[in-house]
Coordinates of all heavy atoms in Angstrom, one line a residue:
M27 N 0.8 -1.2 0.0 CA 0.0 0.0 0.0 C 0.9 1.2 0.0 O 2.0 1.2 0.6 CB -0.9 0.0 1.2 CG -0.5 0.7 2.4 SD -1.6 0.7 3.8 CE -0.8 -0.5 4.8
V28 N 0.5 2.3 -0.6 CA 1.2 3.6 -0.6 C 0.4 4.5 0.3 O -0.8 4.7 0.1 CB 1.2 4.2 -2.0 CG1 1.9 5.6 -1.9 CG2 2.0 3.3 -3.0
L29 N 1.0 5.0 1.3 CA 0.3 5.9 2.3 C 0.2 7.3 1.7 O -0.9 7.9 1.9 CB 1.0 5.9 3.6 CG 0.7 4.8 4.6 CD1 1.1 5.2 6.0 CD2 -0.8 4.4 4.6
S30 N 1.2 7.8 1.2 CA 1.1 9.2 0.8 C 2.1 9.5 -0.4 O 3.2 9.0 -0.3 CB 1.5 10.1 1.9 OG 1.5 11.5 1.5
V31 N 1.7 10.2 -1.4 CA 2.5 10.6 -2.5 C 2.4 12.1 -2.6 O 1.3 12.6 -2.8 CB 2.2 9.9 -3.8 CG1 3.1 10.4 -4.9 CG2 2.3 8.4 -3.7
I32 N 3.5 12.8 -2.4 CA 3.4 14.3 -2.4 C 4.4 14.8 -3.4 O 5.5 14.4 -3.5 CB 3.9 14.8 -1.0 CG1 3.0 14.2 0.1 CG2 3.9 16.3 -0.9 CD1 3.5 14.3 1.5
R33 N 3.9 15.8 -4.2 CA 4.8 16.5 -5.2 C 5.5 17.6 -4.5 O 4.9 18.5 -3.8 CB 4.0 17.0 -6.3 CG 4.9 17.6 -7.4 CD 4.3 17.8 -8.7 NE 5.3 18.4 -9.5 CZ 5.4 18.1 -10.8 NH1 4.5 17.4 -11.4 NH2 6.4 18.6 -11.5
Q34 N 6.8 17.6 -4.6 CA 7.6 18.7 -4.1 C 8.5 19.2 -5.2 O 9.5 18.6 -5.5 CB 8.5 18.2 -2.9 CG 7.6 17.7 -1.7 CD 8.5 17.2 -0.6 OE1 9.6 16.9 -0.8 NE2 7.9 17.0 0.5
G35 N 8.2 20.3 -5.8 CA 8.9 20.9 -6.9 C 8.8 19.9 -8.1 O 7.7 19.6 -8.5
D36 N 9.9 19.5 -8.6 CA 9.8 18.6 -9.8 C 10.0 17.1 -9.4 O 10.1 16.2 -10.2 CB 11.0 18.9 -10.8 CG 10.7 20.2 -11.5 OD1 9.5 20.6 -11.6 OD2 11.7 20.9 -11.9
S37 N 10.0 16.8 -8.1 CA 10.1 15.4 -7.7 C 8.9 15.0 -6.9 O 8.1 15.8 -6.4 CB 11.4 15.3 -6.8 OG 11.3 16.0 -5.6
W38 N 8.8 13.7 -6.7 CA 7.7 13.1 -6.0 C 8.3 12.4 -4.8 O 9.4 11.9 -4.8 CB 6.9 12.1 -6.9 CG 6.2 12.7 -8.0 CD1 6.7 13.0 -9.2 CD2 4.9 13.2 -8.0 NE1 5.8 13.6 -10.0 CE2 4.6 13.7 -9.3 CE3 3.8 13.2 -7.1 CZ2 3.4 14.2 -9.6 CZ3 2.6 13.7 -7.5 CH2 2.4 14.2 -8.7
S39 N 7.5 12.3 -3.7 CA 8.0 11.6 -2.6 C 6.8 10.8 -2.0 O 5.7 11.1 -2.2 CB 8.6 12.5 -1.5 OG 7.6 13.4 -1.0
G40 N 7.1 9.7 -1.3 CA 6.0 9.0 -0.8 C 6.6 8.0 0.3 O 7.8 7.8 0.4
L41 N 5.7 7.4 1.0 CA 6.0 6.4 2.0 C 5.3 5.1 1.6 O 4.1 5.1 1.5 CB 5.6 6.9 3.4 CG 5.9 6.0 4.5 CD1 7.4 5.7 4.6 CD2 5.4 6.6 5.8
F42 N 6.0 4.0 1.4 CA 5.4 2.8 1.0 C 5.4 1.9 2.2 O 6.4 1.8 3.0 CB 6.3 2.1 -0.1 CG 6.2 2.9 -1.4 CD1 7.1 3.9 -1.6 CD2 5.3 2.6 -2.4 CE1 7.1 4.7 -2.8 CE2 5.3 3.3 -3.5 CZ 6.1 4.3 -3.7
I43 N 4.3 1.3 2.5 CA 4.1 0.4 3.6 C 3.9 -1.1 3.1 O 3.1 -1.3 2.3 CB 2.8 0.7 4.4 CG1 2.8 2.2 4.8 CG2 2.7 -0.2 5.6 CD1 3.9 2.7 5.6
Y44 N 4.9 -1.9 3.5 CA 4.8 -3.3 3.0 C 4.3 -4.1 4.1 O 4.9 -4.3 5.2 CB 6.2 -3.8 2.7 CG 6.3 -5.2 2.2 CD1 5.8 -5.5 0.9 CD2 6.6 -6.2 3.0 CE1 5.8 -6.8 0.4 CE2 6.6 -7.5 2.5 CZ 6.2 -7.8 1.3 OH 6.2 -9.1 0.8
N45 N 3.0 -4.6 3.9 CA 2.4 -5.5 4.9 C 1.2 -6.2 4.2 O 0.7 -5.8 3.1 CB 1.9 -4.7 6.1 CG 0.5 -4.1 5.9 OD1 -0.5 -4.7 6.2 ND2 0.5 -2.9 5.4
Q46 N 0.8 -7.3 4.8 CA -0.3 -8.1 4.3 C -1.4 -8.3 5.3 O -2.3 -9.1 5.2 CB 0.2 -9.4 3.7 CG 1.1 -9.2 2.5 CD 1.6 -10.5 1.9 OE1 1.2 -11.6 2.4 NE2 2.5 -10.4 1.0
T47 N -1.3 -7.5 6.4 CA -2.2 -7.7 7.5 C -3.2 -6.6 7.6 O -4.4 -6.8 7.8 CB -1.4 -7.8 8.9 OG1 -0.4 -8.8 8.8 CG2 -2.3 -8.0 10.0
Y48 N -2.8 -5.3 7.5 CA -3.6 -4.2 7.7 C -4.1 -3.7 6.3 O -3.3 -3.6 5.4 CB -2.9 -3.1 8.4 CG -2.4 -3.6 9.8 CD1 -1.1 -3.9 9.9 CD2 -3.2 -3.7 10.9 CE1 -0.6 -4.4 11.2 CE2 -2.8 -4.1 12.1 CZ -1.4 -4.5 12.2 OH -1.0 -4.9 13.4
H49 N -5.3 -3.3 6.2 CA -5.9 -2.8 4.9 C -6.7 -1.6 5.1 O -8.0 -1.6 5.0 CB -6.7 -4.0 4.3 CG -6.0 -5.2 4.2 ND1 -5.1 -5.4 3.2 CD2 -6.0 -6.4 4.9 CE1 -4.5 -6.6 3.3 NE2 -5.1 -7.2 4.3
P50 N -6.1 -0.4 5.3 CA -6.9 0.8 5.4 C -7.5 1.1 4.0 O -7.0 0.6 3.0 CB -5.8 1.9 5.8 CG -4.5 1.3 5.4 CD -4.7 -0.2 5.5
T51 N -8.5 2.0 4.0 CA -9.1 2.3 2.7 C -8.6 3.7 2.3 O -8.1 4.5 3.1 CB -10.7 2.4 2.9 OG1 -11.0 3.3 3.9 CG2 -11.2 1.0 3.2
V52 N -8.8 4.0 1.0 CA -8.4 5.3 0.5 C -9.1 6.4 1.3 O -10.3 6.4 1.5 CB -8.8 5.4 -1.0 CG1 -8.5 6.8 -1.6 CG2 -8.0 4.3 -1.8
G53 N -8.3 7.4 1.7 CA -8.8 8.5 2.5 C -8.6 8.4 3.9 O -8.8 9.4 4.7
D54 N -8.2 7.2 4.4 CA -7.9 7.0 5.8 C -6.7 7.8 6.3 O -5.6 7.7 5.5 CB -7.8 5.6 6.2 CG -9.1 4.8 6.2 OD1 -10.1 5.4 6.1 OD2 -9.0 3.6 6.4
L55 N -6.7 8.4 7.4 CA -5.5 8.9 8.1 C -5.1 7.9 9.1 O -5.8 7.5 9.9 CB -5.8 10.2 8.8 CG -4.7 10.9 9.6 CD1 -3.5 11.2 8.7 CD2 -5.2 12.1 10.4
V56 N -3.8 7.3 8.9 CA -3.4 6.2 9.7 C -2.1 6.5 10.4 O -1.3 7.4 10.0 CB -3.2 4.9 8.9 CG1 -4.5 4.5 8.3 CG2 -2.2 5.1 7.8
R57 N -1.8 5.9 11.5 CA -0.6 5.9 12.2 C 0.0 4.5 12.2 O -0.7 3.5 12.6 CB -0.7 6.3 13.7 CG 0.6 6.2 14.5 CD 0.4 6.7 15.9 NE 0.1 8.2 15.8 CZ -0.7 8.8 16.7 NH1 -1.4 8.1 17.6 NH2 -0.9 10.1 16.6
V58 N 1.2 4.3 11.6 CA 1.8 3.0 11.4 C 3.1 2.9 12.2 O 3.9 3.8 12.3 CB 2.1 2.8 9.9 CG1 2.8 1.5 9.6 CG2 0.9 2.9 9.0
T59 N 3.2 1.7 12.8 CA 4.4 1.4 13.6 C 5.1 0.2 12.9 O 4.5 -0.8 12.6 CB 4.1 1.0 15.0 OG1 3.3 2.1 15.6 CG2 5.4 0.8 15.8
G60 N 6.4 0.4 12.6 CA 7.2 -0.7 12.0 C 8.6 -0.3 11.8 O 9.1 0.7 12.5
T61 N 9.3 -0.9 10.9 CA 10.8 -0.7 10.7 C 10.9 0.1 9.4 O 10.4 -0.4 8.4 CB 11.5 -2.0 10.6 OG1 11.3 -2.8 11.8 CG2 13.0 -1.8 10.5
V62 N 11.7 1.2 9.4 CA 11.9 2.0 8.2 C 13.1 1.4 7.5 O 14.2 1.2 8.1 CB 12.1 3.5 8.6 CG1 12.5 4.3 7.3 CG2 10.9 4.1 9.3
N63 N 13.0 1.2 6.2 CA 14.0 0.7 5.3 C 14.1 1.5 4.0 O 13.1 2.1 3.6 CB 13.8 -0.8 5.0 CG 13.9 -1.7 6.2 OD1 14.8 -1.7 6.9 ND2 12.8 -2.5 6.4
E64 N 15.2 1.5 3.4 CA 15.3 1.9 2.0 C 15.4 0.7 1.1 O 16.2 -0.2 1.4 CB 16.6 2.8 1.8 CG 16.5 4.1 2.5 CD 15.5 5.1 2.0 OE1 15.3 5.1 0.7 OE2 14.8 5.7 2.8
Y65 N 14.6 0.6 0.1 CA 14.5 -0.5 -0.8 C 14.5 0.0 -2.2 O 13.5 0.6 -2.7 CB 13.2 -1.3 -0.5 CG 13.1 -2.6 -1.3 CD1 13.9 -3.7 -1.0 CD2 12.2 -2.7 -2.3 CE1 13.8 -4.9 -1.7 CE2 12.1 -3.9 -3.0 CZ 12.9 -5.0 -2.7 OH 12.7 -6.1 -3.4
Y66 N 15.6 -0.2 -2.9 CA 15.7 0.3 -4.3 C 15.4 1.7 -4.5 O 14.7 2.1 -5.4 CB 14.9 -0.6 -5.3 CG 15.5 -2.0 -5.5 CD1 14.9 -3.0 -4.8 CD2 16.5 -2.2 -6.3 CE1 15.4 -4.3 -5.0 CE2 17.0 -3.5 -6.5 CZ 16.5 -4.5 -5.8 OH 17.0 -5.8 -6.0
G67 N 15.9 2.6 -3.5 CA 15.7 4.0 -3.6 C 14.3 4.5 -3.0 O 14.0 5.6 -3.1
L68 N 13.5 3.6 -2.5 CA 12.2 3.9 -2.0 C 12.2 3.7 -0.5 O 12.7 2.8 0.0 CB 11.1 3.0 -2.6 CG 10.9 3.0 -4.1 CD1 9.9 2.0 -4.5 CD2 10.5 4.4 -4.6
T69 N 11.6 4.7 0.2 CA 11.5 4.6 1.7 C 10.2 3.8 2.0 O 9.2 4.0 1.5 CB 11.4 6.0 2.3 OG1 12.5 6.7 2.0 CG2 11.3 5.8 3.9
E70 N 10.4 2.7 2.8 CA 9.3 1.9 3.2 C 9.3 1.6 4.6 O 10.3 1.7 5.3 CB 9.3 0.6 2.3 CG 10.4 -0.4 2.7 CD 10.3 -1.7 2.0 OE1 9.6 -1.8 1.0 OE2 10.9 -2.7 2.5
I71 N 8.1 1.2 5.1 CA 8.0 0.6 6.5 C 7.6 -0.8 6.3 O 6.6 -1.1 5.6 CB 6.9 1.4 7.3 CG1 7.3 2.8 7.5 CG2 6.7 0.7 8.6 CD1 6.4 3.6 8.3
S72 N 8.5 -1.7 6.8 CA 8.2 -3.1 6.8 C 8.1 -3.6 8.2 O 8.2 -2.9 9.2 CB 9.3 -3.9 6.0 OG 10.6 -3.6 6.7
S73 N 7.8 -4.9 8.4 CA 7.6 -5.5 9.7 C 6.6 -4.6 10.5 O 6.9 -4.3 11.7 CB 8.9 -5.6 10.4 OG 9.8 -6.4 9.7
V74 N 5.5 -4.3 9.9 CA 4.5 -3.5 10.5 C 3.9 -4.2 11.8 O 3.5 -5.3 11.7 CB 3.3 -3.1 9.5 CG1 2.2 -2.4 10.2 CG2 3.9 -2.4 8.4
T75 N 3.9 -3.5 12.9 CA 3.4 -4.1 14.1 C 2.1 -3.4 14.5 O 1.3 -4.0 15.4 CB 4.4 -3.9 15.3 OG1 4.7 -2.5 15.5 CG2 5.7 -4.7 15.0
S76 N 1.7 -2.3 14.0 CA 0.5 -1.6 14.3 C 0.1 -0.7 13.2 O 0.9 0.0 12.5 CB 0.7 -0.8 15.6 OG -0.4 0.1 15.9
C77 N -1.2 -0.6 12.9 CA -1.8 0.3 12.0 C -3.1 0.8 12.5 O -4.1 0.1 12.5 CB -1.9 -0.3 10.6 SG -2.6 0.8 9.3
Q78 N -3.1 2.1 13.0 CA -4.3 2.6 13.6 C -5.0 3.6 12.6 O -4.3 4.5 12.1 CB -4.0 3.4 14.9 CG -3.3 2.6 16.0 CD -2.9 3.5 17.1 OE1 -2.0 4.4 16.9 NE2 -3.5 3.4 18.3
V79 N -6.2 3.5 12.4 CA -7.0 4.4 11.6 C -7.4 5.6 12.6 O -8.1 5.4 13.5 CB -8.2 3.8 11.0 CG1 -9.0 4.8 10.2 CG2 -7.8 2.6 10.0
L80 N -6.8 6.8 12.3 CA -7.1 7.9 13.1 C -8.4 8.7 12.7 O -9.1 9.3 13.5 CB -5.9 8.9 13.1 CG -4.6 8.3 13.6 CD1 -3.5 9.3 13.4 CD2 -4.7 7.7 15.0
S81 N -8.6 8.7 11.4 CA -9.8 9.3 10.9 C -10.1 8.8 9.5 O -9.2 8.3 8.8 CB -9.7 10.9 10.9 OG -8.8 11.3 9.9
Q82 N -11.3 9.0 9.0 CA -11.7 8.5 7.7 C -12.3 9.7 6.9 O -13.1 10.5 7.5 CB -12.7 7.4 7.8 CG -12.2 6.2 8.4 CD -13.2 5.1 8.6 OE1 -14.3 5.4 9.1 NE2 -12.9 3.9 8.3
A83 N -11.9 9.8 5.7 CA -12.4 10.9 4.8 C -13.4 10.4 3.8 O -13.2 9.3 3.3 CB -11.3 11.6 4.1
I84 N -14.4 11.1 3.6 CA -15.4 10.8 2.5 C -14.8 11.5 1.2 O -14.8 12.7 1.2 CB -16.8 11.2 2.8 CG1 -17.2 10.5 4.1 CG2 -17.7 11.0 1.7 CD1 -18.6 11.0 4.6
L85 N -14.4 10.7 0.3 CA -13.8 11.2 -0.9 C -14.9 11.5 -2.0 O -15.9 10.7 -2.0 CB -12.8 10.3 -1.5 CG -11.6 10.0 -0.5 CD1 -10.7 8.9 -1.2 CD2 -10.9 11.2 -0.2
P86 N -14.7 12.5 -2.8 CA -15.7 12.7 -3.9 C -15.6 11.5 -4.9 O -14.6 10.9 -5.0 CB -15.2 14.0 -4.5 CG -13.8 14.1 -4.2 CD -13.6 13.4 -2.9
A87 N -16.7 11.3 -5.6 CA -16.8 10.3 -6.6 C -15.8 10.7 -7.8 O -15.7 11.9 -8.1 CB -18.2 10.2 -7.1
P88 N -15.2 9.7 -8.4 CA -14.3 10.1 -9.5 C -15.2 10.6 -10.7 O -16.3 10.3 -10.8 CB -13.7 8.7 -9.9 CG -14.6 7.7 -9.3 CD -15.3 8.3 -8.2
S89 N -14.5 11.5 -11.5 CA -15.2 12.0 -12.7 C -14.4 11.7 -13.9 O -13.1 11.7 -13.8 CB -15.5 13.5 -12.5 OG -14.3 14.2 -12.3
E90 N -15.0 11.5 -15.0 CA -14.3 11.2 -16.2 C -14.0 12.5 -17.0 O -14.8 13.4 -17.0 CB -15.3 10.4 -17.1 CG -14.5 9.6 -18.2 CD -15.5 8.7 -18.9 OE1 -16.1 7.8 -18.2 OE2 -15.6 8.8 -20.1
I91 N -12.7 12.7 -17.4 CA -12.3 13.8 -18.2 C -11.6 13.3 -19.4 O -11.1 12.2 -19.5 CB -11.4 14.8 -17.4 CG1 -10.1 14.0 -17.0 CG2 -12.1 15.3 -16.2 CD1 -9.1 14.9 -16.3
N92 N -11.5 14.2 -20.4 CA -10.8 13.8 -21.6 C -9.4 14.5 -21.6 O -9.2 15.4 -20.9 CB -11.6 14.1 -22.9 CG -11.9 15.6 -23.0 OD1 -11.1 16.4 -22.8 ND2 -13.1 15.9 -23.5
T93 N -8.5 14.1 -22.5 CA -7.2 14.7 -22.5 C -7.2 16.2 -22.9 O -6.3 16.9 -22.5 CB -6.2 13.9 -23.5 OG1 -6.9 13.9 -24.8 CG2 -6.0 12.5 -23.0
G94 N -8.1 16.6 -23.6 CA -8.2 18.0 -24.0 C -8.4 18.9 -22.7 O -7.9 20.0 -22.6
S95 N -9.2 18.4 -21.7 CA -9.3 19.1 -20.5 C -8.0 19.2 -19.7 O -7.8 20.2 -19.1 CB -10.3 18.3 -19.6 OG -11.6 18.3 -20.2
L96 N -7.2 18.2 -19.8 CA -5.9 18.2 -19.1 C -5.0 19.3 -19.7 O -4.2 20.0 -19.0 CB -5.2 16.9 -19.2 CG -5.9 15.7 -18.4 CD1 -5.2 14.4 -18.7 CD2 -6.0 16.0 -16.9
I97 N -5.0 19.4 -21.0 CA -4.2 20.5 -21.7 C -4.7 21.8 -21.2 O -3.8 22.7 -20.9 CB -4.3 20.3 -23.2 CG1 -3.7 19.0 -23.7 CG2 -3.7 21.5 -23.9 CD1 -4.0 18.7 -25.1
I98 N -6.0 22.1 -21.1 CA -6.5 23.4 -20.7 C -6.0 23.6 -19.2 O -5.5 24.7 -18.9 CB -8.0 23.4 -20.7 CG1 -8.5 23.4 -22.2 CG2 -8.6 24.6 -20.0 CD1 -9.9 23.2 -22.4
L99 N -6.0 22.6 -18.4 CA -5.6 22.8 -17.0 C -4.1 23.1 -16.9 O -3.7 23.9 -16.2 CB -5.8 21.5 -16.2 CG -7.3 21.3 -15.7 CD1 -7.4 19.9 -15.1 CD2 -7.8 22.3 -14.8
A100 N -3.3 22.4 -17.8 CA -1.9 22.7 -17.8 C -1.6 24.1 -18.3 O -0.7 24.8 -17.7 CB -1.2 21.7 -18.7
V101 N -2.3 24.6 -19.3 CA -2.1 26.0 -19.7 C -2.5 27.0 -18.6 O -1.8 28.0 -18.4 CB -3.0 26.2 -21.0 CG1 -3.0 27.7 -21.4 CG2 -2.4 25.4 -22.2
E102 N -3.6 26.7 -18.0 CA -4.1 27.6 -16.9 C -3.1 27.6 -15.7 O -3.0 28.6 -15.0 CB -5.5 27.2 -16.4 CG -6.6 27.4 -17.4 CD -7.9 26.8 -17.0 OE1 -8.0 26.1 -16.0 OE2 -8.9 27.1 -17.6
N103 N -2.3 26.5 -15.6 CA -1.3 26.5 -14.5 C 0.1 26.7 -15.0 O 1.1 26.3 -14.4 CB -1.4 25.1 -13.8 CG -2.6 24.9 -13.0 OD1 -2.8 25.7 -12.0 ND2 -3.5 24.0 -13.4
N104 N 0.2 27.5 -16.1 CA 1.5 27.9 -16.6 C 2.4 26.7 -17.0 O 3.6 26.7 -16.7 CB 2.3 28.8 -15.7 CG 1.5 30.1 -15.5 OD1 1.0 30.7 -16.5 ND2 1.5 30.6 -14.3
G105 N 1.8 25.6 -17.5 CA 2.5 24.5 -17.9 C 2.9 23.5 -16.8 O 3.6 22.5 -17.0
K106 N 2.6 23.8 -15.6 CA 2.9 22.9 -14.4 C 1.9 21.9 -14.3 O 0.7 22.1 -14.6 CB 3.0 23.8 -13.1 CG 4.1 24.8 -13.2 CD 4.2 25.6 -11.9 CE 5.3 26.6 -12.0 NZ 5.3 27.5 -10.9
A107 N 2.3 20.7 -13.8 CA 1.4 19.6 -13.6 C 0.4 20.0 -12.5 O 0.6 20.8 -11.6 CB 2.1 18.4 -13.1
C108 N -0.8 19.5 -12.6 CA -1.9 19.8 -11.7 C -1.9 18.9 -10.5 O -1.6 17.8 -10.6 CB -3.2 19.7 -12.4 SG -3.3 20.6 -13.9

């Protein structure tokens, strides 16, 4: 599972959680306890011993867009990714 992916400038960062026991849902705010490792350049938490759901968010339903809409968004954002 990927807990968070954040864009910082031109790079992306995230925290990968490797486990097969805990299964939070998209939008959950969780607190995870385990061992931090670097694995092929990715930061991950393995050997998870605890995963607490602190809060749950109600996410909006997905909406379908076409690639023309993405071009308009890019132009409106001065060519930066949205």
Side-chain angles (χ1 to χ4, degrees):
M27 94 177 107
V28 177
L29 276 198
S30 180
V31 177
I32 302 167
R33 183 167 182 145
Q34 297 176 346
D36 289 332
S37 63
W38 294 86
S39 63
L41 180 60
F42 295 84
I43 309 298
Y44 181 77
N45 84 89
Q46 296 179 4
T47 304
Y48 303 100
H49 305 284
T51 58
V52 174
D54 285 353
L55 174 63
V56 297
R57 176 176 292 142
V58 178
T59 305
T61 304
V62 176
N63 294 307
E64 290 294 321
Y65 184 75
Y66 290 100
L68 302 174
T69 303
E70 70 173 17
I71 296 179
S72 60
S73 302
V74 175
T75 57
S76 171
C77 181
Q78 299 172 297
V79 176
L80 303 177
S81 67
Q82 297 174 314
I84 298 173
L85 301 176
S89 59
E90 200 171 303
I91 60 172
N92 61 41
T93 54
S95 298
L96 294 175
I97 293 169
I98 292 169
L99 284 172
V101 170
E102 290 173 352
N103 287 299
N104 296 319
K106 296 179 182 172
C108 307

